[in-house]
PDB file of all heavy atoms in Angstrom:
ATOM      1  N   TYR A  41       0.824  17.691  99.774  1.00 43.00           N
ATOM      2  CA  TYR A  41       1.735  18.367 100.680  1.00 43.00           C
ATOM      3  C   TYR A  41       3.018  17.558 100.755  1.00 43.00           C
ATOM      4  O   TYR A  41       3.039  16.354 100.491  1.00 43.00           O
ATOM      5  CB  TYR A  41       1.113  18.494 102.077  1.00 43.00           C
ATOM      6  CG  TYR A  41       0.833  17.178 102.764  1.00 43.00           C
ATOM      7  CD1 TYR A  41       1.799  16.573 103.571  1.00 43.00           C
ATOM      8  CD2 TYR A  41      -0.393  16.534 102.600  1.00 43.00           C
ATOM      9  CE1 TYR A  41       1.546  15.368 104.197  1.00 43.00           C
ATOM     10  CE2 TYR A  41      -0.650  15.329 103.223  1.00 43.00           C
ATOM     11  CZ  TYR A  41       0.321  14.753 104.019  1.00 43.00           C
ATOM     12  OH  TYR A  41       0.070  13.555 104.633  1.00 43.00           O
ATOM     13  N   PRO A  53      -9.722  13.202  94.668  1.00 77.00           N
ATOM     14  CA  PRO A  53     -10.912  14.066  94.652  1.00 77.00           C
ATOM     15  C   PRO A  53     -12.033  13.435  95.463  1.00 77.00           C
ATOM     16  O   PRO A  53     -12.027  12.227  95.733  1.00 77.00           O
ATOM     17  CB  PRO A  53     -11.280  14.139  93.164  1.00 77.00           C
ATOM     18  CG  PRO A  53     -10.075  13.660  92.432  1.00 77.00           C
ATOM     19  CD  PRO A  53      -9.352  12.740  93.344  1.00 77.00           C
ATOM     20  N   GLU A  93     -41.243 -18.792  80.859  1.00 90.00           N
ATOM     21  CA  GLU A  93     -41.747 -19.251  79.567  1.00 90.00           C
ATOM     22  C   GLU A  93     -41.774 -20.785  79.491  1.00 90.00           C
ATOM     23  O   GLU A  93     -42.694 -21.380  78.923  1.00 90.00           O
ATOM     24  CB  GLU A  93     -40.883 -18.682  78.444  1.00 90.00           C
ATOM     25  CG  GLU A  93     -41.260 -19.129  77.053  1.00 90.00           C
ATOM     26  CD  GLU A  93     -42.485 -18.403  76.513  1.00 90.00           C
ATOM     27  OE1 GLU A  93     -43.248 -17.816  77.298  1.00 90.00           O
ATOM     28  OE2 GLU A  93     -42.689 -18.419  75.294  1.00 90.00           O
ATOM     29  N   THR A 126     -24.085 -12.040  78.613  1.00 95.00           N
ATOM     30  CA  THR A 126     -23.971 -11.248  79.840  1.00 95.00           C
ATOM     31  C   THR A 126     -23.224 -12.018  80.920  1.00 95.00           C
ATOM     32  O   THR A 126     -22.294 -11.482  81.550  1.00 95.00           O
ATOM     33  CB  THR A 126     -25.367 -10.851  80.343  1.00 95.00           C
ATOM     34  OG1 THR A 126     -25.999  -9.997  79.384  1.00 95.00           O
ATOM     35  CG2 THR A 126     -25.278 -10.118  81.675  1.00 95.00           C
ATOM     36  N   ALA A 175     -28.616  -3.255  73.606  1.00 91.00           N
ATOM     37  CA  ALA A 175     -29.327  -2.168  72.921  1.00 91.00           C
ATOM     38  C   ALA A 175     -30.603  -2.644  72.246  1.00 91.00           C
ATOM     39  O   ALA A 175     -31.582  -1.895  72.164  1.00 91.00           O
ATOM     40  CB  ALA A 175     -28.410  -1.511  71.889  1.00 91.00           C
ATOM     41  N   PHE A 178     -33.965  -2.099  74.288  1.00 85.00           N
ATOM     42  CA  PHE A 178     -34.553  -0.825  74.694  1.00 85.00           C
ATOM     43  C   PHE A 178     -34.487   0.254  73.618  1.00 85.00           C
ATOM     44  O   PHE A 178     -34.920   1.372  73.857  1.00 85.00           O
ATOM     45  CB  PHE A 178     -33.897  -0.296  75.979  1.00 85.00           C
ATOM     46  CG  PHE A 178     -32.401  -0.229  75.936  1.00 85.00           C
ATOM     47  CD1 PHE A 178     -31.748   0.827  75.340  1.00 85.00           C
ATOM     48  CD2 PHE A 178     -31.642  -1.237  76.514  1.00 85.00           C
ATOM     49  CE1 PHE A 178     -30.377   0.890  75.305  1.00 85.00           C
ATOM     50  CE2 PHE A 178     -30.253  -1.181  76.479  1.00 85.00           C
ATOM     51  CZ  PHE A 178     -29.627  -0.115  75.881  1.00 85.00           C
ATOM     52  N   GLY A 181     -37.535  -0.055  67.307  1.00 82.00           N
ATOM     53  CA  GLY A 181     -37.289  -0.411  65.917  1.00 82.00           C
ATOM     54  C   GLY A 181     -36.131  -1.345  65.695  1.00 82.00           C
ATOM     55  O   GLY A 181     -35.812  -1.684  64.550  1.00 82.00           O
ATOM     56  N   ASP A 183     -34.533  -5.070  66.774  1.00 85.00           N
ATOM     57  CA  ASP A 183     -34.765  -6.351  67.431  1.00 85.00           C
ATOM     58  C   ASP A 183     -33.466  -6.852  68.047  1.00 85.00           C
ATOM     59  O   ASP A 183     -32.391  -6.698  67.456  1.00 85.00           O
ATOM     60  CB  ASP A 183     -35.277  -7.382  66.419  1.00 85.00           C
ATOM     61  CG  ASP A 183     -36.648  -7.006  65.866  1.00 85.00           C
ATOM     62  OD1 ASP A 183     -37.435  -6.424  66.632  1.00 85.00           O
ATOM     63  OD2 ASP A 183     -36.898  -7.286  64.681  1.00 85.00           O
ATOM     64  N   THR A 214     -15.743  -5.192  74.885  1.00 94.00           N
ATOM     65  CA  THR A 214     -15.414  -5.992  76.067  1.00 94.00           C
ATOM     66  C   THR A 214     -14.162  -6.831  75.824  1.00 94.00           C
ATOM     67  O   THR A 214     -13.377  -7.060  76.753  1.00 94.00           O
ATOM     68  CB  THR A 214     -16.591  -6.909  76.430  1.00 94.00           C
ATOM     69  OG1 THR A 214     -16.894  -7.785  75.334  1.00 94.00           O
ATOM     70  CG2 THR A 214     -17.834  -6.090  76.767  1.00 94.00           C
ATOM     71  N   SER A 236      10.735  -9.060  98.292  1.00 92.00           N
ATOM     72  CA  SER A 236      10.615 -10.346  98.997  1.00 92.00           C
ATOM     73  C   SER A 236       9.743 -11.351  98.254  1.00 92.00           C
ATOM     74  O   SER A 236       9.576 -12.477  98.715  1.00 92.00           O
ATOM     75  CB  SER A 236      10.021 -10.110 100.390  1.00 92.00           C
ATOM     76  OG  SER A 236       8.720  -9.537 100.299  1.00 92.00           O
ATOM     77  N   ASP A 243       2.034 -16.221  95.359  1.00 95.00           N
ATOM     78  CA  ASP A 243       0.813 -16.872  95.843  1.00 95.00           C
ATOM     79  C   ASP A 243       0.032 -17.501  94.691  1.00 95.00           C
ATOM     80  O   ASP A 243       0.173 -17.124  93.526  1.00 95.00           O
ATOM     81  CB  ASP A 243      -0.066 -15.865  96.577  1.00 95.00           C
ATOM     82  CG  ASP A 243      -0.529 -14.755  95.658  1.00 95.00           C
ATOM     83  OD1 ASP A 243       0.284 -13.825  95.414  1.00 95.00           O
ATOM     84  OD2 ASP A 243      -1.663 -14.811  95.164  1.00 95.00           O
ATOM     85  N   TRP A 247      -0.729 -16.540  90.600  1.00 96.00           N
ATOM     86  CA  TRP A 247      -0.417 -17.507  89.538  1.00 96.00           C
ATOM     87  C   TRP A 247      -1.657 -17.756  88.675  1.00 96.00           C
ATOM     88  O   TRP A 247      -1.581 -17.865  87.451  1.00 96.00           O
ATOM     89  CB  TRP A 247       0.059 -18.826  90.139  1.00 96.00           C
ATOM     90  CG  TRP A 247       1.526 -18.921  90.411  1.00 96.00           C
ATOM     91  CD1 TRP A 247       2.143 -19.002  91.626  1.00 96.00           C
ATOM     92  CD2 TRP A 247       2.573 -18.945  89.432  1.00 96.00           C
ATOM     93  NE1 TRP A 247       3.510 -19.071  91.476  1.00 96.00           N
ATOM     94  CE2 TRP A 247       3.797 -19.039  90.135  1.00 96.00           C
ATOM     95  CE3 TRP A 247       2.603 -18.886  88.044  1.00 96.00           C
ATOM     96  CZ2 TRP A 247       5.033 -19.094  89.485  1.00 96.00           C
ATOM     97  CZ3 TRP A 247       3.842 -18.940  87.396  1.00 96.00           C
ATOM     98  CH2 TRP A 247       5.031 -19.030  88.108  1.00 96.00           C
ATOM     99  N   THR A 248      -2.814 -17.873  89.328  1.00 96.00           N
ATOM    100  CA  THR A 248      -4.053 -18.107  88.589  1.00 96.00           C
ATOM    101  C   THR A 248      -4.364 -16.946  87.657  1.00 96.00           C
ATOM    102  O   THR A 248      -4.726 -17.145  86.487  1.00 96.00           O
ATOM    103  CB  THR A 248      -5.219 -18.313  89.571  1.00 96.00           C
ATOM    104  OG1 THR A 248      -4.923 -19.400  90.442  1.00 96.00           O
ATOM    105  CG2 THR A 248      -6.517 -18.593  88.829  1.00 96.00           C
ATOM    106  N   GLY A 254      -2.750 -14.847  80.422  1.00 94.00           N
ATOM    107  CA  GLY A 254      -2.100 -15.395  79.236  1.00 94.00           C
ATOM    108  C   GLY A 254      -3.094 -16.017  78.271  1.00 94.00           C
ATOM    109  O   GLY A 254      -2.998 -15.847  77.053  1.00 94.00           O
ATOM    110  N   GLY A 264     -12.410 -12.484  68.667  1.00 79.00           N
ATOM    111  CA  GLY A 264     -12.973 -11.262  68.096  1.00 79.00           C
ATOM    112  C   GLY A 264     -12.836 -11.233  66.583  1.00 79.00           C
ATOM    113  O   GLY A 264     -13.777 -10.841  65.871  1.00 79.00           O
TER     114      GLY A 264
END
Side-chain angles (χ1 to χ4, degrees):
Y41 63 90
E93 177 77 342
T126 296
F178 52 82
D183 295 326
T214 59
S236 61
D243 63 280
W247 272 113
T248 303

